[in-house]
């Protein structure tokens, strides 16, 4: 009879009272093990304290693995470099949603399923009329995505696997349509209906840049670059917006509302909003000779300016996605014959920063947002649309993580505690006695 391996534990000792408790250690497939603290409060009356979750595992997940020290990113075990080089975005979506890359039959069926959900209810068009044309596209997306739950009542029951799958397909398929409509509305052009004869990324480019007045000339290079950009942004473990989606989902909110919550969180310049902020920063720098001035600003603790597109909570090495995007930027600019001075400034900024001790000591490398904006601008997107494009891709990761959570045996509402530092109980003071 094989001996079961003894349970791995950590012993926690209270140095004031000498009391100690054993905390179970759980191992993953690869990566750091975790100390299970679920019994800590019941047995010690203490909470853990980790305000921005730098050392907290919030869930178990089988979707994405990141090794920040080595610059490794895997989706269902496949490296991001292999996926970006060899797969389509919908193949990656299938892997994240269902656990593996599709075979030929599954791929065709999944592509057809997504394609036939790309249209939105005709009344959704009316929501756009309520926005100013110069509304930030992310404000529009927050609104129209949450509004989808008003139209698709047949896929709101999160306990029905078929309805869960239907809402996942609808979100993956319709958010590109809503994103393209958001762009069209902002420039006063008519909405373009999806076309079922185009691939996911071809269709998105068509809905953004096509016009009813003439046939749209599809560029295979741009369609390939768009698909690659979507793959690189598809999922990224328990980042801020994914954690937002999971927390919203833990209350049993419907999936459309959860994804809208993720979009709201992604908007922040510390997160998905960084790709827009990178281009605005490069435009502010303007030329290579001003780079030293901005490097000093980024190092100045009294200056809130940060080098946008640099640094990452997890990657303390190159963000593997940045490397793929840097090459894609070269390919797209060469194909379009664009000599974008911003790319020159970006590459010089990267070179200088990576030699500067401040950035080297803090392991601040270019992240996924550093090069993506340069490609997107070359493709014709305004900077205000960059985070929307991030949301189009990340919807796949968000809804896959949401589905994984809902399918866990016991869904419990996420409800963190705190270290209270406010006043202890005190007597009420009538207004006439207040100073
Ligand atoms: C994304 O989590 C994910 O996976 C996100 C994402 C995904 O795919 O979902 O990868 C997408 O959000 C990428 C990150 C995009 N954001 C930016 O590019 C904005 C600029 N970067 C920083 O704001 C910052 O690096 C963060 C927010 C990304 C990470 O912040 P942390 O982990 O909280 O790091 P920190 O603020 O504690 O910084 C550590 C030190 C500090 O200096 P000291 O106090 O040690 O002296 O590094 C400094 C910071 O001041 N620092 C920077 C800097 N980033 C960190 N200094 C100048 N410029 C920067 N960009």
């Amino acid at each position: 009879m094989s001996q079961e391996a003894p349970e791995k534990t950590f012993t926690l000792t209270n140095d004031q009272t000498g009391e100690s408790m054993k905390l179970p250690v759980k191992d993953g497939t690869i990566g750091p093990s975790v100390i299970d603290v679920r019994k800590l409060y019941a047995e010690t009356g203490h909470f853990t304290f980790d305000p921005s979750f730098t050392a907290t595992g919030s869930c178990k997940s089988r979707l994405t693995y990141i090794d920040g020290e080595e610059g490794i990113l895997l989706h269902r075990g496949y490296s991001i470099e292999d996926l970006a080089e060899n797969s389509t975005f919908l193949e990656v979506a299938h892997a994240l949603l269902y656990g593996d890359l599709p075979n030929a039959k599954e791929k065709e069926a999944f592509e057809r399923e997504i394609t036939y959900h790309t249209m939105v209810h005709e009344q959704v068009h009316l929501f756009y009329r309520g926005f100013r044309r110069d509304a930030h596209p992310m404000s529009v997306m927050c609104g129209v995505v949450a509004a989808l739950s008003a139209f698709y009542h047949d896929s709101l029951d999160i306990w029905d696997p078929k309805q869960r799958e239907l809402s996942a397909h609808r979100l993956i398929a319709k958010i590109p349509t809503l994103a393209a409509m958001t762009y069209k509305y902002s420039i006063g052009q008519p909405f373009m209906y999806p076309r079922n004869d185009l691939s996911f990324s071809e269709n998105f480019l068509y809905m953004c840049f096509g016009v009813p007045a003439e046939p749209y000339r599809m560029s295979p290079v741009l369609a390939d670059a768009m698909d690659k950009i979507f793959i690189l942004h598809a999922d990224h473990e328990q980042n801020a917006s994914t954690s937002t989606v999971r927390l919203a989902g833990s209350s049993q909110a419907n999936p459309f509302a959860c994804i809208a919550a993720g979009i709201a969180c992604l908007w922040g310049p510390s997160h998905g909003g960084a790709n827009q902020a990178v281009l605005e920063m490069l435009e502010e720098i303007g030329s290579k000779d001003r780079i030293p001035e901005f490097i000093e600003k980024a190092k100045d603790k009294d200056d809130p300016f940060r080098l946008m597109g640099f640094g990452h909570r997890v990657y303390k090495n190159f963000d593997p996605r940045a490397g793929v995007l840097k090459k894609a930027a070269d390919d797209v600019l060469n194909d379009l014959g664009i000599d974008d001075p911003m790319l020159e400034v970006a590459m010089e900024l990267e070179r200088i920063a990576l030699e500067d001790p401040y950035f080297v000591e803090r392991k601040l490398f270019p992240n996924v947002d550093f090069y993506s904006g340069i490609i997107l601008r070359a493709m014709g997107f305004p900077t205000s649309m960059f985070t929307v494009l991030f949301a189009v891709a990340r919807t796949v990761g968000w809804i896959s993580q949401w589905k994984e959570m809902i399918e866990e045996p016991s869904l419990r509402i996420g409800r963190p505690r705190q270290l209270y530092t406010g006043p202890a109980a005190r007597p009420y003071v009538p207004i006439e006695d207040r100073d």
Side-chain angles (χ1 to χ4, degrees):
M1 168 98 135
S2 66
Q3 290 290 332
E4 277 208 14
E7 185 187 44
K8 292 165 68 175
T9 57
F10 251 74
T11 299
L12 193 63
T13 302
N14 181 329
D15 292 335
Q16 278 63 48
T17 65
E19 290 168 327
S20 66
M21 76 174 286
K22 288 194 180 303
L23 292 165
V25 170
K26 294 183 179 303
D27 296 330
T29 317
I30 47 178
S33 298
V34 297
I35 299 171
D36 186 340
V37 295
R38 282 177 288 186
K39 292 196 170 67
L40 184 72
Y41 177 61
E43 296 191 17
T44 70
H46 287 66
F47 297 140
T48 60
F49 187 64
D50 185 13
S52 55
F53 312 125
T54 50
T56 292
S58 61
C59 63
K60 285 190 294 185
S61 181
R62 300 176 300 280
L63 271 69
T64 292
Y65 173 73
I66 302 173
D67 181 329
E69 298 305 322
E70 300 299 322
I72 292 169
L73 170 55
L74 308 177
H75 291 316
R76 300 289 192 180
Y78 300 106
S79 79
I80 192 64
E81 293 89 344
D82 283 347
L83 291 170
E85 187 61 34
N86 305 301
S87 284
T88 66
F89 176 63
L90 283 188
E91 282 182 279
V92 174
H94 185 283
L96 286 168
L97 205 51
Y98 295 111
D100 210 337
L101 292 167
N103 59 34
K105 190 161 170 276
E106 290 164 336
K107 178 179 175 182
E108 190 195 348
F110 186 63
E111 285 174 347
R112 187 173 57 252
E113 175 69 9
I114 297 302
T115 297
Y116 281 85
H117 279 296
T118 47
M119 276 210 313
V120 294
H121 191 291
E122 196 66 5
Q123 281 179 222
V124 170
H125 292 214
L126 304 177
F127 282 96
Y128 285 79
R129 301 281 171 258
F131 288 97
R132 287 171 43 140
R133 295 275 179 177
D134 63 353
H136 193 289
M138 284 298 277
S139 63
V140 177
M141 289 298 286
C142 287
V144 294
V145 170
L148 290 180
S149 47
F151 290 86
Y152 299 110
H153 298 135
D154 60 340
S155 63
L156 297 182
D157 177 357
I158 65 170
W159 304 117
D160 177 343
K162 288 243 174 292
Q163 292 197 33
R164 278 203 301 272
E165 185 175 45
L166 179 54
S167 60
H169 292 168
R170 279 174 164 157
L171 281 156
I172 293 170
K174 295 180 192 302
I175 283 189
T177 306
L178 295 175
M181 290 165 68
T182 299
Y183 173 56
K184 284 302 199 185
Y185 185 73
S186 74
I187 57 175
Q189 286 190 1
F191 298 144
M192 297 297 283
Y193 286 93
R195 274 180 45 186
N196 294 346
D197 61 322
L198 298 177
S199 72
F200 183 93
S201 293
E202 288 171 340
N203 185 42
F204 182 68
L205 291 176
Y206 166 75
M207 292 190 292
C208 288
F209 300 119
V211 289
E214 61 183 27
Y216 177 66
R217 190 178 62 78
M218 186 65 66
S219 155
V221 171
L222 293 195
D224 178 63
M226 189 80 263
D227 212 60
K228 199 163 281 181
I229 288 171
F230 285 150
I231 288 171
L232 294 168
H233 289 79
D235 190 51
H236 211 240
E237 201 213 62
Q238 305 311 319
N239 58 85
S241 54
T242 297
S243 300
T244 301
V245 170
R246 278 182 172 259
L247 199 52
S250 75
S251 76
Q252 301 179 31
N254 74 70
F256 302 98
C258 295
I259 299 301
I263 292 174
C265 178
L266 186 74
W267 193 357
S270 286
H271 190 12
N275 54 17
Q276 172 177 343
V278 166
L279 252 292
E280 289 164 355
M281 173 188 73
L282 292 174
E283 284 163 352
E284 188 185 357
I285 293 173
S287 62
K288 290 184 197 177
D289 59 332
R290 291 196 65 202
I291 290 174
E293 170 196 339
F294 282 83
I295 292 270
E296 289 316 305
K297 275 170 66 69
K299 292 154 65 171
D300 178 357
K301 289 298 165 214
D302 297 328
D303 189 327
F305 175 80
R306 285 197 162 182
L307 221 44
M308 301 315 280
F310 272 78
H312 198 279
R313 171 62 59 77
V314 176
Y315 288 122
K316 300 309 171 191
N317 194 322
F318 255 89
D319 181 334
R321 302 168 294 177
V324 179
L325 280 166
K326 184 173 177 179
K327 184 181 177 310
D330 278 335
D331 296 346
V332 168
L333 293 180
N334 291 337
D335 178 71
L336 294 174
I338 294 177
D339 178 18
D340 185 350
M342 287 305 113
L343 182 61
E344 300 295 314
V345 174
M347 293 172 79
E348 180 65 3
L349 178 61
E350 178 187 22
R351 186 188 67 77
I352 296 175
L354 295 184
E355 289 173 355
D356 186 298
Y358 173 94
F359 294 89
V360 173
E361 285 157 15
R362 291 167 178 79
K363 300 183 177 181
L364 301 176
F365 292 92
N367 58 45
V368 66
D369 294 301
F370 189 64
Y371 282 104
S372 58
I374 288 163
I375 305 176
L376 296 175
R377 188 167 85 144
M379 296 171 80
F381 291 105
T383 50
S384 61
M385 275 293 291
F386 290 176
T387 311
V388 171
L389 302 178
F390 196 149
V392 167
R394 189 53 57 88
T395 293
V396 161
W398 288 331
I399 201 64
S400 301
Q401 297 263 357
W402 170 85
K403 179 171 173 284
E404 180 180 62
M405 176 185 73
I406 300 292
E407 290 170 356
E408 281 293 313
S410 61
L411 175 69
R412 299 186 70 204
I413 190 164
R415 205 288 187 207
R417 300 303 302 272
Q418 64 178 12
L419 175 67
Y420 177 67
T421 55
R426 54 181 170 161
Y428 183 79
V429 179
I431 190 158
E432 56 274 13
D433 298 337
R434 293 173 204 159
D435 302 338

